[in-house]
């Protein structure tokens, strides 16, 4: 069998777990430790043998992860977390990019490349329930994301309505009354349910207000440019909002750029809340308050479910699970300003 | 053969090229057009048959792209550009994530998964020339990035020294004299040549100055947090810089967050130039001046070279090409302030 993880660990003077962390690209290893382990790996000529164990069971040890956008840091974070979680099960991950197109999502879900993958984690945008029901055989499948299906597959998704309500409640508690929603979907695109928009409506009603639909702005996509364009349209009206809840952080960051250009103060004039907790929001000149989905839990649960389904040998789940990982409010300067961390006032 | 692209085009009332753009996730298609094409696809039950043509030639039509970090938007942009370029050649792309670890880079370069891919585009960090020379067979390979090798493979990379000199010259022309370099590599990590640092030194000397090595800050990595930590160390000294040239945009953005926290004005107190031209820099509160590698050209050239090598049937290149796509200075507020776009003064 050649050189083992244990041999490397002994030579480097670290635990087997540490060697495994280095080999599997786990991020939180000190550079000095990583270097020491890498030197031992190089000296001994260690080669990780990822697939031998799987091949004995007629499997490849490869799972696919299909996401709509690589350019969205949320999906890059999620992909990194899935790669980490999969490595704990000795699986490697192939990434697919669907661009959120139904055609590509169908292609992926119907087992494209099924001869080389043991299972699939899919975050769909436009896939329909009928597409899933039409799926014949193919590898085990776990679904991620906001879209809801009545189909025999495990589904991991945060509670988008509850999370949106938390975000809006935070703004209401800060005294904001004209809260815009940036990033509604164009009706023409036949897109998923507007769960976050529904949460916006429900929370405004729960506070005794009436949702002002003129404050709901549709966008072509969910990028910075979409947020900037929507914010510009909103500010060009006579009666601007005093707060913005954006579909995601990219939309929020695009909106904040426009606020800064116009000389408006964040949060005094207009407070902003995003969604996703991408790192960019932490480092913005005014750091971004956001809803933080537990990406590590999402990734771990998705991989755990998938590995279990792979082990069961069945392509569909007789009792599909619907699992809701946590999503918490992370308060930063874009709602409470500087120098008052941790308070909501 | 079932439904063709042409059938879809006729039904949607658009050109075959437009249908192809939609199917291949080309980004610049109007939502209405995309919707119309998608409806025709759905109505006709069109399924793109990506692999039939390739299978007739004993190929899979799949190429792999291996990058060190998915979390770095530069690589996400590059991956998106490679996917677009590959689709022009009717190839699909599998993404690999190496975490910049030599072990994973060796695994990938030595033809891991070679039974399912026709060729590989690899952006290595720690791979050594000896690793490439030890490569026996395996699919055709094209290299990307800063690292230089003496090996029989095509290599696509911008001229990092020249690009760094352009960035530093811009700062010198603005009157800056104490220009720090953020993002040097720790010697202990045995990392690639410091081409951008070399450019910094050369340009300062060319302007009649003497490079002040105390202004060169090593970082653990190239993330926002690394830029923030380095900037903090630099500002805690008695004699701060008047400008910063960062290894990449993420390091620059982390540094800018610290400048903002300390109440320093960008660019009046400290000007900042990054590298990569990621979209985040455009939307920062102070938009980021940066060096913009021509990512579309890099991707197109890499795919063109690879497709040519695949067609030739040879695993190595008798006459490997070294191709240098362009990299231009994009001037924004972090060096010239607001309201003076396009000027260098």
């Amino acid at each position: 069998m050649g050189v083992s993880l244990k041999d490397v660990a002994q030579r480097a003077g670290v635990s087997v777990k540490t060697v495994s962390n280095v080999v599997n690209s786990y991020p939180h290893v000190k550079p000095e430790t990583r270097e020491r382990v890498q030197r031992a790996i190089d000296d001994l000529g260690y080669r990780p043998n990822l697939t031998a164990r799987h091949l004995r069971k007629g499997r490849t040890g490869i799972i696919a992860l299909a996401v709509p956008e690589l350019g969205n840091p949320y999906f890059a974070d999620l992909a990194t977390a899935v790669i980490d979680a999969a490595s704990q099960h000795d699986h490697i991950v192939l990434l697919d990019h669907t661009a959120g197109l139904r055609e590509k999502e169908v292609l992926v879900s119907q087992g494209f490349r099924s001869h080389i993958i043991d299972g699939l984690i899919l975050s769909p945008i436009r896939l329909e329930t009928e597409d899933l029901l039409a799926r014949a055989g193919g590898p085990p499948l776990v679904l991620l994301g906001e879209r809801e299906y009545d189909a025999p597959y495990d589904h991991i998704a945060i509670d988008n309505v509850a999370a949106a309500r938390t975000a809006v409640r935070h703004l209401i508690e800060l005294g904001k009354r004209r809260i815009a929603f940036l990033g509604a979907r164009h009706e023409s695109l036949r897109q998923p349910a507007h769960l976050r928009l529904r949460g916006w409506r429900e929370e405004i009603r729960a506070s005794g207000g009436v949702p002002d639909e003129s404050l709901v702005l549709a966008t072509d996509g969910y990028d910075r440019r979409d947020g900037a364009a929507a914010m510009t349209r909103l500010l060009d009206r006579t009666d601007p909002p005093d707060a913005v809840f954006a579909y995601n952080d990219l939309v929020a960051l695009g909106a904040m750029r426009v606020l800064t250009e116009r000389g408006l103060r964040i949060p005094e004039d207009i407070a902003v809340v995003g969604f996703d907790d991408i790192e960019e929001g932490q480092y913005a000149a005014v750091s971004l308050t956001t809803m933080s989905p537990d990406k590590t839990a999402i990734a771990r649960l998705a991989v755990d479910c998938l590995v279990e389904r792979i082990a069961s040998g069945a392509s569909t789940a007789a009792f599909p699970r619907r699992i809701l990982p946590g999503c918490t409010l992370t308060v930063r300067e874009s709602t409470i300003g500087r120098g008052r961390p941790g308070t909501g006032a």
Side-chain angles (χ1 to χ4, degrees), chain A:
Chain A
M1 288 300 290
V3 180
S4 72
L5 274 188
K6 203 172 155 190
D7 299 330
V8 175
Q10 281 182 345
R11 181 158 190 129
V14 299
S15 69
V16 169
K17 171 77 183 144
T18 300
V19 177
S20 170
N21 284 345
V22 170
V23 170
N24 290 307
S25 326
Y26 186 72
H28 304 296
V29 178
K30 280 188 204 165
E32 310 85 70
T33 308
R34 195 181 285 281
E35 168 60 12
R36 188 139 38 98
V37 171
Q38 189 61 48
R39 198 172 296 134
I41 285 172
D42 294 347
D43 292 349
L44 296 172
Y46 169 74
R47 295 274 175 279
N49 193 350
L50 288 168
T51 51
R53 250 210 281 169
H54 299 287
L55 288 175
R56 284 197 295 276
K57 300 184 203 153
R59 295 183 195 130
T60 61
I62 300 175
I63 61 178
L65 170 67
V67 299
E69 299 172 89
L70 292 168
N72 184 332
Y74 175 76
F75 290 108
D77 290 351
L78 189 66
T80 305
V82 167
I83 289 166
D84 286 346
S87 77
Q88 303 295 317
H89 291 280
D90 218 8
H91 278 73
I92 59 169
V93 177
L94 297 190
L95 274 179
D96 273 320
H97 173 254
T98 64
L101 296 176
R102 184 177 179 189
E103 195 53 32
K104 290 214 169 176
E105 291 175 352
V106 167
L107 189 74
V108 163
S109 74
Q110 292 189 343
F112 158 69
R113 296 209 327 245
S114 59
H115 57 297
I116 58 159
I117 61 171
D118 293 340
L120 168 69
I121 298 171
L122 170 63
S123 181
I125 299 281
R126 303 190 60 193
L127 194 74
E128 301 291 336
T129 295
E130 68 208 57
D131 298 326
L132 283 172
L133 296 177
R135 190 173 183 262
L141 167 67
V142 170
L143 297 166
L144 297 182
E146 188 178 0
R147 194 70 196 270
E148 294 186 317
Y149 300 99
D150 188 14
Y153 301 103
D154 296 332
H155 191 169
I156 322 288
I158 57 162
D159 184 337
N160 278 283
V161 175
R165 291 191 59 161
T166 300
V168 174
R169 193 177 318 126
H170 172 60
L171 290 167
I172 291 172
E173 284 170 359
L174 292 170
K176 301 295 186 179
R177 287 299 171 265
R178 287 182 53 75
I179 302 169
F181 183 90
L182 257 60
R185 289 170 169 127
H186 284 294
E187 293 299 328
S188 71
L189 287 178
R190 291 188 300 167
Q191 295 259 16
H194 303 198
L195 298 180
R196 294 178 195 174
L197 178 56
R198 194 201 296 171
W200 173 86
R201 289 200 186 97
E202 286 185 8
E203 189 60 30
I204 289 173
R205 284 200 197 99
S207 76
V210 176
D212 178 351
E213 297 293 331
S214 76
L215 294 175
V216 175
L217 275 90
T219 52
D220 286 336
Y222 305 111
D223 275 329
R224 299 171 191 86
R225 72 178 66 88
D226 301 301
M231 195 74 236
T232 301
R233 288 198 323 269
L234 200 49
L235 291 178
D236 287 345
R237 296 182 189 171
T238 47
D239 196 10
D242 58 14
V244 165
F245 172 43
Y247 179 80
N248 70 9
D249 285 354
L250 293 181
V251 169
L253 289 157
M256 291 210 294
R257 168 72 201 180
V258 171
L259 295 176
T260 302
E261 281 173 7
R262 302 248 179 150
L264 291 162
R265 294 165 307 158
I266 309 166
E268 294 81 357
D269 298 319
I270 299 185
V272 181
V273 180
F275 207 111
D276 281 352
D277 200 5
I278 62 174
E279 190 179 275
E280 178 175 348
Q282 282 176 55
Y283 286 88
V286 177
S287 63
L288 179 62
T289 296
T290 188
M291 294 306 302
S292 311
D294 187 342
K295 293 168 215 171
T296 308
I298 293 169
R300 182 177 46 75
L301 290 163
V303 170
D304 286 354
C305 282
L306 188 62
V307 166
E308 213 177 289
R309 296 301 180 190
I310 293 169
S312 81
S315 161
T316 58
F319 301 99
R321 288 167 286 200
R322 178 97 168 92
I323 304 178
L324 297 168
C327 183
T328 55
L329 176 70
T330 299
V331 177
R332 299 202 186 97
E333 294 161 2
S334 69
T335 53
I336 60 162
R338 196 162 289 172
R340 288 176 297 169
T343 80

